[in-house]
Structure formats: C-alpha cells, structure tokens
Amino acid sequence: MYTQALNTSDGDDRAVEDAARAAEFQARIDQDERIEPNDWMPAAYRKTLTRQISQHAHSEIVGMLPEGNWITRAPSLRRKAALLAKVQDECGHGLYLYAAAETLGTSREELVDAMLAGKAKYSSIFNYPTLTWADIGTIGWLVDGAAIMNQIPLCRCSYGPYARAMIRVCKEESFHQRQGFEIMVTLCRGTAEQKAMAQNALDRWWWPVLMMFGPPDQASQHGDTSTRWKIKRFSNDELRQKFVDATVPQAQFLGLTIPDPGMKQNENGNWEYSPIDWEEFKQVLAGNGPCNRDRLAARRKAHEEGAWVREAAMAYAEKRKSRQLAQAAE
C-alpha cells in the first residue's frame, strides 16, 4: 500500500510538471517565439510536425517523377535545361525537409522506409499523369502556385528548422510558378492546337489542385491543433479561397476557361466554386489514383538501385572517422 501511494504521488507530480511545461510552451507559441530542437515540446507537437514535414519531404521527392517524365521530350534545349533545374530544385527541397524532420528525433531512413511501405502519405496531386507538354506548364502554374499559397505562411511556422527551410523553398517555388505560367502564355499565344492543349491540361488539373489544400475545415483532423500551435496560420478553406481568387484572373489573362460552369464572383469579389468531389480525393489517398502504384514502384526501384551509393558513403564515413581517431590518439 505504501509503495502504491508513492507511485501515485510520483505520477501526480509528473502530471503537474507536464501541465506546467505545456502551459509555458503554449505561452511561448502565443508570443510568436520559435521552438528549437533542444527545447521541451509536447509529444503531440513533435508527432504532428514529424508527420507534416516528412509528408512534405516525400511530396517533393515523388513530385520529381511526373515532371521528370518530360525531360527527354522537352520541346527545346532551353526548356530541357529549365526543367532539369526545376527537378533538381525539388530534390533539394526534399533533402532540406528531411533534415528538418530529423531534428525531431526520427531518422531519415525511418521516414523514407515509411513512405516506401505506403505507411506515410505524400501530396495526392502527384498521383496524376503528365500526358502532354502543357501539363508541365500547368504544374508550374497551378501546382506550384498552390504550393506557394500553402507554404509562404509556413515561413512563420513556430518550429524553427521548418520555418527556415521554407524560406529558401518558397523562393525557388516562386521561380517555378513563373516558369510554368510562361509556358502557358507561350502555348496560349501559339496555334489553336497549342491553346487547346493548354485548355485540356487546365481541365484535368484544376480540381485535383483544389484538393491539394486538404479536406474542408469541418473534416480536417489536424487543423485546430496545428493552428493553435502556429504550425499553420490559415485553414485549408482559407488557403483554397486565396488560391482561387488569385488564379481566376490569371486564367482570364491566358484566355482559358476554368472548368467550373457554376463558378461566380460574389459581392465581396471572391470567386465561389462548385462543390469538390472529395470521394476522388479519398480514393487517391487510399492508393487508388491513376498513378499511385507507378509512383511508389519508381521510388522503390530507385531506392534499391541506390543502395550501393548509401553503403559506399557509410563505409567511407566510418573509415574516415577511424582514421581521425587514430590520428588523435598518436
């Protein structure tokens, strides 16, 4: 009985201490202080960030595939060089983000293995095919445009390593968006066939891009806590509306038609869009999108074929460390 009473007392003391730490943590968040890797943080905060940052990193890496599909078929050397640079940037973004996620205590190998096993998600948008060159322009214009809308607020994320990584990512994504829009301008000012190709790409990508922002606020599982911890600054619906309001005038400039006959502008100047087919979104997330299996198969193949590089790098690092230790002992 005495031992049980001591255990109960210890448990109560820990609960009080954790509650005090949590209150102090939230006070720092409310004052817009940055949380750094060595700071105390609630387990749920760490888990939420690990999930979000790793999914973001997976999306950058998988996002190389639909565009990489067109590197060998770009219509000119200039377009090929620009697309190569963009795909290289996306790879770099993934590496920045994996490094940020690792500061939360999960190794990069664990994060990648979870994605390859299908346990960790990446953005649903990358499970759609790139059928024509216009798709490359549309991805830059719309997909990267949506990413910028979502990611600029992350530069003020409460977690320092994530916020700092996003500053460079957003600068490069802004260039990618302009590059994509320039492709669309060229197509829309070209032949009737080229403009029709641009319209067809817009028709296919518009709704999946709107789904990129995530489910509606009332169905979001993580929105409230992410907002309270200032991981996110805006809700899914707020960001989606900002994107639509910014994009419709761009489509009008291009002479393209948004594939939503029910869209109208309200008295506040916002563009109201028709209901989104969230069942499609759920199916893609469940692994039933047009390219889910192809994307994971490509990543698994690349991971397996790159095993010798990782092993060689580790062997070199261990040999160099042993040499340094030997020299220090002399």
Side-chain angles (χ1 to χ4, degrees):
M1 291 290 293
Y2 179 70
T3 303
Q4 183 179 0
L6 283 177
N7 290 338
T8 302
S9 176
D10 290 343
D12 290 343
D13 289 344
R14 281 195 297 271
V16 170
E17 183 181 353
D18 287 346
R21 279 182 163 184
E24 182 182 352
F25 174 83
Q26 188 61 50
R28 291 185 62 193
I29 296 290
D30 294 340
Q31 293 169 13
D32 278 329
E33 290 186 30
R34 284 274 169 83
I35 306 301
E36 299 298 339
N38 291 331
D39 295 341
W40 183 91
M41 64 188 76
Y45 179 82
R46 186 184 302 274
K47 181 178 179 181
T48 297
L49 275 168
T50 300
R51 175 191 57 79
Q52 179 170 328
I53 300 174
S54 63
Q55 288 184 6
H56 192 166
H58 300 331
S59 299
E60 297 285 357
I61 298 300
V62 176
M64 297 163 61
L65 297 174
E67 292 176 304
N69 181 43
W70 277 89
I71 289 174
T72 59
R73 297 178 288 163
S76 69
L77 183 58
R78 172 177 173 266
R79 298 294 189 191
K80 185 190 295 285
L83 187 55
L84 274 167
K86 182 184 179 185
V87 171
Q88 184 180 30
D89 284 348
E90 306 296 358
C91 181
H93 298 172
L95 297 181
Y96 306 151
L97 293 165
Y98 281 132
E102 283 184 303
T103 65
L104 292 160
T106 304
S107 71
R108 186 173 310 198
E109 290 76 17
E110 291 175 278
L111 298 173
V112 172
D113 286 347
M115 187 266 287
L116 296 176
K119 296 178 182 177
K121 304 297 183 184
Y122 54 86
S123 179
S124 60
I125 196 67
F126 299 118
N127 288 313
Y128 291 86
T130 46
L131 304 180
T132 71
W133 175 250
D135 289 37
I136 303 304
T138 304
I139 287 175
W141 171 36
L142 296 183
V143 176
D144 292 329
I148 292 167
M149 195 67 68
N150 189 46
Q151 292 171 9
I152 285 178
L154 292 175
C155 295
R156 296 187 292 126
C157 169
S158 60
Y159 188 59
Y162 193 21
R164 289 188 288 272
M166 291 313 303
I167 293 173
R168 178 166 180 173
V169 170
C170 285
K171 287 179 179 178
E172 293 177 351
E173 292 290 5
S174 179
F175 172 77
H176 300 165
Q177 197 268 349
R178 292 196 298 273
Q179 176 188 344
F181 190 72
E182 193 265 339
I183 291 174
M184 298 302 285
V185 169
T186 301
L187 290 172
C188 291
R189 292 178 178 174
T191 65
E193 183 181 7
Q194 287 173 321
K195 186 170 183 179
M197 185 167 64
Q199 181 66 59
N200 177 265
L202 172 59
D203 292 346
R204 287 183 288 107
W205 287 91
W206 176 254
W207 293 106
V209 167
L210 292 193
M211 297 175 197
M212 274 181 67
F213 293 96
D217 294 345
Q218 64 268 25
S220 177
Q221 298 178 6
H222 310 285
D224 290 343
T225 52
S226 291
T227 302
R228 178 163 56 86
W229 284 328
K230 296 188 178 179
I231 296 172
K232 292 182 64 173
R233 298 280 177 160
F234 299 96
S235 72
N236 295 347
D237 287 337
E238 287 175 322
L239 290 170
R240 192 167 12 249
Q241 187 62 59
K242 285 175 178 285
F243 171 77
V244 171
D245 290 341
T247 305
V248 171
Q250 295 170 0
Q252 292 173 338
F253 174 82
L254 291 170
L256 299 177
T257 303
I258 299 291
D260 182 0
M263 178 174 279
K264 60 182 179 180
Q265 195 170 24
N266 62 28
E267 58 185 14
N268 295 321
N270 301 120
W271 288 93
E272 297 178 359
Y273 49 90
S274 301
I276 296 171
D277 180 8
W278 290 111
E279 182 57 34
E280 177 183 341
F281 179 72
K282 292 176 184 177
Q283 287 299 316
V284 174
L285 284 186
N288 301 318
C291 297
N292 286 68
R293 292 173 181 81
D294 292 342
R295 299 290 185 244
L296 276 180
R299 287 309 311 150
R300 288 173 184 141
K301 182 174 182 289
H303 190 72
E304 291 168 4
E305 292 179 349
W308 70 272
V309 179
R310 296 190 299 276
E311 291 166 3
M314 287 298 296
Y316 175 78
E318 290 174 4
K319 186 176 181 179
R320 184 179 181 186
K321 183 177 180 182
S322 298
R323 187 165 56 246
Q324 290 174 336
L325 289 172
Q327 290 173 348
E330 291 177 356

